[in-house]
Amino acid sequence: MFSEIDWMALPKTISPAATVFLCVCVLKASLISLLSMLFSYWTDFVLVWEEPLSSQEEERKGLGLTHKKWRMAFLNKLRDSGLLQETVKVLEVKTKICFVLLSAPWNVLCYYAEEITLRVPLQVVTAPSTNWSARVLSRLSLPNPMSQDVPNPPLDFHTCQFRNNKLQRRSGTFRGPAGRQVVLYEILARTPYGSVTRGEVGIDRLLSEQVFTAGYPLHEGGFNMPTPPVPLKSWDLREILYFYWATWSSWRHYQPLDHIREYFGEKIALYFAWLGFYTGWLLPASLVGTVVFLFGFWLMATDVPAKELCDSGNSFPMCSLCHICSDWNYSSICLTYKAGILFDNGGTVFFSVFMSLWAVTFLEYWKRTCLFLSHRWDCSEFQDIEERPRPEFTAMAPMTMKSPVTGAEEPYFPEKQRLNRTMTGCMVIILMVVVVLVFLMAIILYRSILTVFIYKSGGFLTGWVSSTRLLVLCCVVPSEMHRTQSKYEDMFILKVFIFQFINFYSTPIYIAFFKGRFIGYPGNYQTLFGFRNEECGPGGCLIELAQELLVIMVGKQLINNTQEFFGEEERREDKQEEEQGDSPWEADYQLLVYEGLFSEYLEMVIQFGFITIFVAACPLAPLFALINNWVEIRLDAQKFVTEYRRPVAERAQDIGIWFPILQFISHIAVLTNAFLIAFTSSFLPRLYYGYTRDETLTGYINFTLATSPGNYRQTQPPCRYRSFRNADGDYLPEYFHLLAIQMAFVIVFEHVVFSIGLLIDLVVPDVPEEVELKMKREHYMAKQALAENQSLGISLFPGEKEVPSKVL
């Protein structure tokens, strides 16, 4: 503060009054700075509301006595709960911003920690925590380029449930600031401010009613490197996360998951653990996919049907693709046909099997990793035993019932009433799905109508229509009284995912399995609302599906990441300019609001669906997903460390309903790839022709083309079209032979893949051996710690060093 005064510029003689005034200003500024530091140190949570400076403006905005009444009642209840409060008011141009700084004394933390069954440390775990890649490289005596020494690693502890009468003497905090946040937010979530029967309970309702404009815990200092430089052990946790996780230079290193958990809580840490695990498993998938794609180049140069097509000249005049279009020559799609071989070859079948087994194995090993992390982070029994009922559920439940797990009386909502609410939510989802399908039908008609305009324009609009379609592709729950927050969020996620599943996958599914299937034949074309049904493009539906996936995996992801990157850079620069001289609570108030992990999970799960469900059409999809996720991890890390207000630390046992959704997608992927190879790819027709006629595939092009009936157009020579029909339009025996082969392939494919997947599930144990041993050890130590006449930590494993107990 004194360094900001230019002492040389002061006059040589200063009057006593000026001297006193100057000293008072300096002391006042120093005191404000000191108080700001002290408040930010002990503040656990901040509540904010804004008031217009003019009472008339307040009345015009409808901010009357009700909000003030609720706000004062809520703050008084918090004060009665034992929370310490400090109010700071900041005057802006047109508004007054009021900050309430909340802090929980130790005795209040102890009281609520026992009530919510918070777990506290007993003894340090001496076994190091490593992942499978580090162990493999260590056994091979190879250097590990992914490891990094992150300062101040949080310790791992054996833990037990907190008991106020036995463990309060063990002074300390509850696993750092994040642990204090869990306890404090529980108080905020269950404190009433009005009628309990009307659900007027908790901070979440007050935020939704705009009684408070914000509520958040404070970040721990800034994220820039300390100036002047200080030892790494003195760095704040936010600074460590920024320089060892959120910077682009950390792209090849392991994520500091324990640090993330310590700062943001288990729920966010599990998201980044899953994202990093998923990205790591994309590496072998992308390598195999790239090899399969390169194999397609060799086939493209040596493929006999491709050479036959390109050299055919005018030998195959094709029938028009719309009712006003003219004929075209099959040889005109030479380049498109060759490009299709890159995505449609024998390697595609192998890669589809590989990716199906990859998905099953990935989920099995994530299950093990998740269980290891949840136990390491003391959340393995959270949902079954420790999670409390939602405040809204507790307030509105009409009766109580004894819990079959804990034996305690808990609020209970009758199944019949909850079923009615559930059915209402399901009807809304069904309605939204119908709306999506109606829009899909509209898009199909849109494309059919534009086909006519394309032809009338002489082909001028062809590129424009394709560009607009791809551009559109790139840019485009009611309460059911669930008992816990986890179940509430899971059901909300499930409903939204059902809608998003139809929304994202309807177009690829239409192209893969329905487009060009119900078109009839020349002289007997089928129509929809008077328009001829849409056919596949000249190159076939698989090449269209590959183009669709490339747009999604490259174009859309590139646009999203580019916008996110430049948007964050601009916000970060603006934030650094605005924060000069602001108090910590003012600086954090200027940050973006954290809105949960739903959008992050949804983006990755939708991506997982594209690289598994439709991988037979685009072997490069895992590679593009890998590149995108490397960028996505750093962008998300930067958002959480620098752009978002600090989220409230939430506990979680796993990634919730997202794991069953991933399992559902992996099973759907097996069936989808089987049908895609059997009915959309040319793999089986080529195999059938090579086995029954010519193994060199000479004449294959003519084999796949039928001739239009003689009465189709009597004044012109007959044309060809892709089908297995005779001159009368009836199916040939080859069609039924091939259909039987296709159905048999689907059955064999899914049985083989599902059987191997089941074998993998049986071979890979769900609970790692080290976790099982630690669980037994922890149960034994918890029993000792809570016993009346035994001391903690007497028995140790053979060879285990005595480590002084420590409570975080």
Side-chain angles (χ1 to χ4, degrees), residues 178-204:
R180 295 174 63 92
Q181 291 176 27
V182 172
V183 180
L184 184 62
Y185 199 77
E186 182 70 19
I187 302 174
L188 294 172
R190 67 168 67 178
T191 299
Y193 58 88
S195 174
V196 176
T197 57
R198 292 198 297 266
E200 295 174 349
V201 179
I203 184 62
D204 292 333

PDB file of all heavy atoms in Angstrom, residues 178-204:
ATOM      1  N   ALA A 178     -12.905 -27.874   1.054  1.00  0.00           N
ATOM      2  CA  ALA A 178     -13.994 -28.594   0.384  1.00  0.00           C
ATOM      3  C   ALA A 178     -14.843 -29.349   1.393  1.00  0.00           C
ATOM      4  O   ALA A 178     -16.068 -29.434   1.264  1.00  0.00           O
ATOM      5  CB  ALA A 178     -13.422 -29.550  -0.663  1.00  0.00           C
ATOM      6  N   GLY A 179     -14.195 -29.924   2.428  1.00  0.00           N
ATOM      7  CA  GLY A 179     -14.951 -30.607   3.460  1.00  0.00           C
ATOM      8  C   GLY A 179     -15.830 -29.665   4.248  1.00  0.00           C
ATOM      9  O   GLY A 179     -16.966 -29.988   4.609  1.00  0.00           O
ATOM     10  N   ARG A 180     -15.335 -28.476   4.532  1.00  0.00           N
ATOM     11  CA  ARG A 180     -16.144 -27.471   5.230  1.00  0.00           C
ATOM     12  C   ARG A 180     -17.328 -27.038   4.358  1.00  0.00           C
ATOM     13  O   ARG A 180     -18.425 -26.794   4.869  1.00  0.00           O
ATOM     14  CB  ARG A 180     -15.283 -26.264   5.570  1.00  0.00           C
ATOM     15  CG  ARG A 180     -14.167 -26.551   6.553  1.00  0.00           C
ATOM     16  CD  ARG A 180     -13.275 -25.334   6.731  1.00  0.00           C
ATOM     17  NE  ARG A 180     -14.002 -24.200   7.291  1.00  0.00           N
ATOM     18  CZ  ARG A 180     -14.083 -23.944   8.596  1.00  0.00           C
ATOM     19  NH1 ARG A 180     -13.487 -24.741   9.460  1.00  0.00           N
ATOM     20  NH2 ARG A 180     -14.743 -22.889   9.027  1.00  0.00           N
ATOM     21  N   GLN A 181     -17.112 -26.965   3.053  1.00  0.00           N
ATOM     22  CA  GLN A 181     -18.201 -26.578   2.156  1.00  0.00           C
ATOM     23  C   GLN A 181     -19.340 -27.584   2.188  1.00  0.00           C
ATOM     24  O   GLN A 181     -20.521 -27.211   2.148  1.00  0.00           O
ATOM     25  CB  GLN A 181     -17.686 -26.439   0.728  1.00  0.00           C
ATOM     26  CG  GLN A 181     -16.764 -25.273   0.490  1.00  0.00           C
ATOM     27  CD  GLN A 181     -16.226 -25.278  -0.923  1.00  0.00           C
ATOM     28  OE1 GLN A 181     -16.862 -25.790  -1.835  1.00  0.00           O
ATOM     29  NE2 GLN A 181     -15.037 -24.723  -1.102  1.00  0.00           N
ATOM     30  N   VAL A 182     -19.006 -28.880   2.246  1.00  0.00           N
ATOM     31  CA  VAL A 182     -20.042 -29.911   2.281  1.00  0.00           C
ATOM     32  C   VAL A 182     -20.942 -29.709   3.491  1.00  0.00           C
ATOM     33  O   VAL A 182     -22.178 -29.766   3.394  1.00  0.00           O
ATOM     34  CB  VAL A 182     -19.396 -31.310   2.294  1.00  0.00           C
ATOM     35  CG1 VAL A 182     -20.458 -32.388   2.525  1.00  0.00           C
ATOM     36  CG2 VAL A 182     -18.659 -31.574   0.995  1.00  0.00           C
ATOM     37  N   VAL A 183     -20.328 -29.464   4.653  1.00  0.00           N
ATOM     38  CA  VAL A 183     -21.107 -29.263   5.878  1.00  0.00           C
ATOM     39  C   VAL A 183     -21.907 -27.971   5.798  1.00  0.00           C
ATOM     40  O   VAL A 183     -23.111 -27.939   6.112  1.00  0.00           O
ATOM     41  CB  VAL A 183     -20.174 -29.252   7.106  1.00  0.00           C
ATOM     42  CG1 VAL A 183     -20.981 -29.040   8.379  1.00  0.00           C
ATOM     43  CG2 VAL A 183     -19.385 -30.553   7.193  1.00  0.00           C
ATOM     44  N   LEU A 184     -21.272 -26.892   5.378  1.00  0.00           N
ATOM     45  CA  LEU A 184     -21.945 -25.599   5.351  1.00  0.00           C
ATOM     46  C   LEU A 184     -23.094 -25.594   4.343  1.00  0.00           C
ATOM     47  O   LEU A 184     -24.175 -25.049   4.619  1.00  0.00           O
ATOM     48  CB  LEU A 184     -20.941 -24.495   5.015  1.00  0.00           C
ATOM     49  CG  LEU A 184     -21.494 -23.066   5.052  1.00  0.00           C
ATOM     50  CD1 LEU A 184     -21.981 -22.741   6.454  1.00  0.00           C
ATOM     51  CD2 LEU A 184     -20.434 -22.070   4.623  1.00  0.00           C
ATOM     52  N   TYR A 185     -22.894 -26.192   3.185  1.00  0.00           N
ATOM     53  CA  TYR A 185     -23.956 -26.183   2.187  1.00  0.00           C
ATOM     54  C   TYR A 185     -25.141 -27.037   2.627  1.00  0.00           C
ATOM     55  O   TYR A 185     -26.280 -26.767   2.237  1.00  0.00           O
ATOM     56  CB  TYR A 185     -23.431 -26.669   0.838  1.00  0.00           C
ATOM     57  CG  TYR A 185     -24.315 -26.259  -0.313  1.00  0.00           C
ATOM     58  CD1 TYR A 185     -24.280 -24.966  -0.803  1.00  0.00           C
ATOM     59  CD2 TYR A 185     -25.208 -27.154  -0.891  1.00  0.00           C
ATOM     60  CE1 TYR A 185     -25.101 -24.564  -1.840  1.00  0.00           C
ATOM     61  CE2 TYR A 185     -26.031 -26.761  -1.936  1.00  0.00           C
ATOM     62  CZ  TYR A 185     -25.970 -25.467  -2.405  1.00  0.00           C
ATOM     63  OH  TYR A 185     -26.797 -25.076  -3.433  1.00  0.00           O
ATOM     64  N   GLU A 186     -24.873 -28.052   3.443  1.00  0.00           N
ATOM     65  CA  GLU A 186     -25.973 -28.834   4.004  1.00  0.00           C
ATOM     66  C   GLU A 186     -26.857 -27.955   4.881  1.00  0.00           C
ATOM     67  O   GLU A 186     -28.086 -28.076   4.876  1.00  0.00           O
ATOM     68  CB  GLU A 186     -25.403 -30.002   4.808  1.00  0.00           C
ATOM     69  CG  GLU A 186     -26.453 -30.917   5.415  1.00  0.00           C
ATOM     70  CD  GLU A 186     -27.199 -31.744   4.389  1.00  0.00           C
ATOM     71  OE1 GLU A 186     -26.685 -31.889   3.254  1.00  0.00           O
ATOM     72  OE2 GLU A 186     -28.294 -32.235   4.710  1.00  0.00           O
ATOM     73  N   ILE A 187     -26.233 -27.069   5.640  1.00  0.00           N
ATOM     74  CA  ILE A 187     -27.004 -26.131   6.459  1.00  0.00           C
ATOM     75  C   ILE A 187     -27.814 -25.191   5.569  1.00  0.00           C
ATOM     76  O   ILE A 187     -29.011 -24.945   5.805  1.00  0.00           O
ATOM     77  CB  ILE A 187     -26.062 -25.329   7.380  1.00  0.00           C
ATOM     78  CG1 ILE A 187     -25.265 -26.276   8.282  1.00  0.00           C
ATOM     79  CG2 ILE A 187     -26.848 -24.329   8.210  1.00  0.00           C
ATOM     80  CD1 ILE A 187     -24.207 -25.576   9.110  1.00  0.00           C
ATOM     81  N   LEU A 188     -27.186 -24.645   4.537  1.00  0.00           N
ATOM     82  CA  LEU A 188     -27.874 -23.720   3.638  1.00  0.00           C
ATOM     83  C   LEU A 188     -29.016 -24.411   2.902  1.00  0.00           C
ATOM     84  O   LEU A 188     -30.052 -23.800   2.624  1.00  0.00           O
ATOM     85  CB  LEU A 188     -26.882 -23.147   2.625  1.00  0.00           C
ATOM     86  CG  LEU A 188     -25.773 -22.247   3.179  1.00  0.00           C
ATOM     87  CD1 LEU A 188     -24.772 -21.913   2.090  1.00  0.00           C
ATOM     88  CD2 LEU A 188     -26.356 -20.975   3.761  1.00  0.00           C
ATOM     89  N   ALA A 189     -28.847 -25.671   2.555  1.00  0.00           N
ATOM     90  CA  ALA A 189     -29.844 -26.377   1.750  1.00  0.00           C
ATOM     91  C   ALA A 189     -31.085 -26.746   2.547  1.00  0.00           C
ATOM     92  O   ALA A 189     -32.168 -26.887   1.979  1.00  0.00           O
ATOM     93  CB  ALA A 189     -29.229 -27.632   1.142  1.00  0.00           C
ATOM     94  N   ARG A 190     -30.960 -26.911   3.863  1.00  0.00           N
ATOM     95  CA  ARG A 190     -32.105 -27.370   4.651  1.00  0.00           C
ATOM     96  C   ARG A 190     -32.697 -26.281   5.540  1.00  0.00           C
ATOM     97  O   ARG A 190     -33.641 -26.543   6.275  1.00  0.00           O
ATOM     98  CB  ARG A 190     -31.700 -28.562   5.506  1.00  0.00           C
ATOM     99  CG  ARG A 190     -30.696 -28.228   6.593  1.00  0.00           C
ATOM    100  CD  ARG A 190     -30.544 -29.370   7.585  1.00  0.00           C
ATOM    101  NE  ARG A 190     -29.943 -30.537   6.981  1.00  0.00           N
ATOM    102  CZ  ARG A 190     -29.669 -31.649   7.654  1.00  0.00           C
ATOM    103  NH1 ARG A 190     -29.965 -31.717   8.942  1.00  0.00           N
ATOM    104  NH2 ARG A 190     -29.111 -32.669   7.056  1.00  0.00           N
ATOM    105  N   THR A 191     -32.168 -25.072   5.498  1.00  0.00           N
ATOM    106  CA  THR A 191     -32.689 -23.992   6.330  1.00  0.00           C
ATOM    107  C   THR A 191     -33.956 -23.407   5.701  1.00  0.00           C
ATOM    108  O   THR A 191     -33.923 -22.953   4.554  1.00  0.00           O
ATOM    109  CB  THR A 191     -31.639 -22.881   6.504  1.00  0.00           C
ATOM    110  OG1 THR A 191     -30.488 -23.431   7.144  1.00  0.00           O
ATOM    111  CG2 THR A 191     -32.192 -21.747   7.332  1.00  0.00           C
ATOM    112  N   PRO A 192     -35.081 -23.381   6.440  1.00  0.00           N
ATOM    113  CA  PRO A 192     -36.323 -22.816   5.873  1.00  0.00           C
ATOM    114  C   PRO A 192     -36.324 -21.300   5.969  1.00  0.00           C
ATOM    115  O   PRO A 192     -35.659 -20.698   6.813  1.00  0.00           O
ATOM    116  CB  PRO A 192     -37.411 -23.442   6.763  1.00  0.00           C
ATOM    117  CG  PRO A 192     -36.734 -23.655   8.080  1.00  0.00           C
ATOM    118  CD  PRO A 192     -35.293 -23.974   7.774  1.00  0.00           C
ATOM    119  N   TYR A 193     -37.122 -20.667   5.130  1.00  0.00           N
ATOM    120  CA  TYR A 193     -37.292 -19.212   5.166  1.00  0.00           C
ATOM    121  C   TYR A 193     -38.754 -18.816   5.112  1.00  0.00           C
ATOM    122  O   TYR A 193     -39.090 -17.626   5.124  1.00  0.00           O
ATOM    123  CB  TYR A 193     -36.555 -18.561   3.993  1.00  0.00           C
ATOM    124  CG  TYR A 193     -36.997 -19.044   2.636  1.00  0.00           C
ATOM    125  CD1 TYR A 193     -38.059 -18.445   1.962  1.00  0.00           C
ATOM    126  CD2 TYR A 193     -36.359 -20.110   2.024  1.00  0.00           C
ATOM    127  CE1 TYR A 193     -38.471 -18.901   0.729  1.00  0.00           C
ATOM    128  CE2 TYR A 193     -36.757 -20.567   0.790  1.00  0.00           C
ATOM    129  CZ  TYR A 193     -37.812 -19.963   0.141  1.00  0.00           C
ATOM    130  OH  TYR A 193     -38.214 -20.415  -1.081  1.00  0.00           O
ATOM    131  N   GLY A 194     -39.632 -19.808   5.047  1.00  0.00           N
ATOM    132  CA  GLY A 194     -41.066 -19.551   4.980  1.00  0.00           C
ATOM    133  C   GLY A 194     -41.818 -20.805   5.363  1.00  0.00           C
ATOM    134  O   GLY A 194     -41.424 -21.542   6.276  1.00  0.00           O
ATOM    135  N   SER A 195     -42.885 -21.086   4.638  1.00  0.00           N
ATOM    136  CA  SER A 195     -43.711 -22.253   4.916  1.00  0.00           C
ATOM    137  C   SER A 195     -43.004 -23.516   4.427  1.00  0.00           C
ATOM    138  O   SER A 195     -42.722 -23.646   3.232  1.00  0.00           O
ATOM    139  CB  SER A 195     -45.072 -22.105   4.228  1.00  0.00           C
ATOM    140  OG  SER A 195     -45.833 -23.279   4.375  1.00  0.00           O
ATOM    141  N   VAL A 196     -42.766 -24.432   5.332  1.00  0.00           N
ATOM    142  CA  VAL A 196     -42.087 -25.680   4.959  1.00  0.00           C
ATOM    143  C   VAL A 196     -42.970 -26.534   4.078  1.00  0.00           C
ATOM    144  O   VAL A 196     -42.495 -27.196   3.142  1.00  0.00           O
ATOM    145  CB  VAL A 196     -41.672 -26.444   6.240  1.00  0.00           C
ATOM    146  CG1 VAL A 196     -41.047 -27.782   5.886  1.00  0.00           C
ATOM    147  CG2 VAL A 196     -40.698 -25.620   7.067  1.00  0.00           C
ATOM    148  N   THR A 197     -44.265 -26.540   4.339  1.00  0.00           N
ATOM    149  CA  THR A 197     -45.175 -27.371   3.548  1.00  0.00           C
ATOM    150  C   THR A 197     -45.263 -26.913   2.099  1.00  0.00           C
ATOM    151  O   THR A 197     -45.620 -27.703   1.219  1.00  0.00           O
ATOM    152  CB  THR A 197     -46.581 -27.343   4.177  1.00  0.00           C
ATOM    153  OG1 THR A 197     -47.041 -25.986   4.264  1.00  0.00           O
ATOM    154  CG2 THR A 197     -46.562 -27.967   5.564  1.00  0.00           C
ATOM    155  N   ARG A 198     -44.952 -25.652   1.836  1.00  0.00           N
ATOM    156  CA  ARG A 198     -44.935 -25.158   0.449  1.00  0.00           C
ATOM    157  C   ARG A 198     -43.551 -25.257  -0.177  1.00  0.00           C
ATOM    158  O   ARG A 198     -43.326 -24.739  -1.266  1.00  0.00           O
ATOM    159  CB  ARG A 198     -45.417 -23.708   0.410  1.00  0.00           C
ATOM    160  CG  ARG A 198     -46.891 -23.533   0.747  1.00  0.00           C
ATOM    161  CD  ARG A 198     -47.398 -22.186   0.267  1.00  0.00           C
ATOM    162  NE  ARG A 198     -46.735 -21.093   0.924  1.00  0.00           N
ATOM    163  CZ  ARG A 198     -47.181 -20.470   2.008  1.00  0.00           C
ATOM    164  NH1 ARG A 198     -48.335 -20.866   2.557  1.00  0.00           N
ATOM    165  NH2 ARG A 198     -46.532 -19.466   2.560  1.00  0.00           N
ATOM    166  N   GLY A 199     -42.629 -25.912   0.516  1.00  0.00           N
ATOM    167  CA  GLY A 199     -41.295 -26.122  -0.030  1.00  0.00           C
ATOM    168  C   GLY A 199     -40.414 -24.898   0.015  1.00  0.00           C
ATOM    169  O   GLY A 199     -39.451 -24.810  -0.747  1.00  0.00           O
ATOM    170  N   GLU A 200     -40.720 -23.937   0.902  1.00  0.00           N
ATOM    171  CA  GLU A 200     -39.910 -22.726   1.006  1.00  0.00           C
ATOM    172  C   GLU A 200     -38.712 -23.009   1.914  1.00  0.00           C
ATOM    173  O   GLU A 200     -38.630 -22.563   3.060  1.00  0.00           O
ATOM    174  CB  GLU A 200     -40.765 -21.576   1.538  1.00  0.00           C
ATOM    175  CG  GLU A 200     -41.887 -21.190   0.573  1.00  0.00           C
ATOM    176  CD  GLU A 200     -42.821 -20.146   1.141  1.00  0.00           C
ATOM    177  OE1 GLU A 200     -42.739 -19.860   2.354  1.00  0.00           O
ATOM    178  OE2 GLU A 200     -43.645 -19.611   0.375  1.00  0.00           O
ATOM    179  N   VAL A 201     -37.800 -23.797   1.344  1.00  0.00           N
ATOM    180  CA  VAL A 201     -36.647 -24.296   2.102  1.00  0.00           C
ATOM    181  C   VAL A 201     -35.414 -24.228   1.214  1.00  0.00           C
ATOM    182  O   VAL A 201     -35.468 -24.593   0.032  1.00  0.00           O
ATOM    183  CB  VAL A 201     -36.876 -25.756   2.565  1.00  0.00           C
ATOM    184  CG1 VAL A 201     -35.658 -26.271   3.322  1.00  0.00           C
ATOM    185  CG2 VAL A 201     -38.111 -25.860   3.424  1.00  0.00           C
ATOM    186  N   GLY A 202     -34.311 -23.762   1.778  1.00  0.00           N
ATOM    187  CA  GLY A 202     -33.023 -23.928   1.141  1.00  0.00           C
ATOM    188  C   GLY A 202     -32.590 -22.814   0.217  1.00  0.00           C
ATOM    189  O   GLY A 202     -33.393 -22.053  -0.335  1.00  0.00           O
ATOM    190  N   ILE A 203     -31.277 -22.751   0.032  1.00  0.00           N
ATOM    191  CA  ILE A 203     -30.667 -21.708  -0.784  1.00  0.00           C
ATOM    192  C   ILE A 203     -30.979 -21.880  -2.257  1.00  0.00           C
ATOM    193  O   ILE A 203     -31.082 -20.898  -3.000  1.00  0.00           O
ATOM    194  CB  ILE A 203     -29.131 -21.679  -0.539  1.00  0.00           C
ATOM    195  CG1 ILE A 203     -28.472 -20.542  -1.296  1.00  0.00           C
ATOM    196  CG2 ILE A 203     -28.517 -23.020  -0.910  1.00  0.00           C
ATOM    197  CD1 ILE A 203     -28.934 -19.181  -0.886  1.00  0.00           C
ATOM    198  N   ASP A 204     -31.147 -23.122  -2.717  1.00  0.00           N
ATOM    199  CA  ASP A 204     -31.420 -23.333  -4.144  1.00  0.00           C
ATOM    200  C   ASP A 204     -32.735 -22.677  -4.553  1.00  0.00           C
ATOM    201  O   ASP A 204     -32.826 -22.069  -5.631  1.00  0.00           O
ATOM    202  CB  ASP A 204     -31.453 -24.833  -4.450  1.00  0.00           C
ATOM    203  CG  ASP A 204     -30.094 -25.484  -4.304  1.00  0.00           C
ATOM    204  OD1 ASP A 204     -29.087 -24.767  -4.484  1.00  0.00           O
ATOM    205  OD2 ASP A 204     -30.023 -26.686  -4.006  1.00  0.00           O
TER     206      ASP A 204
END
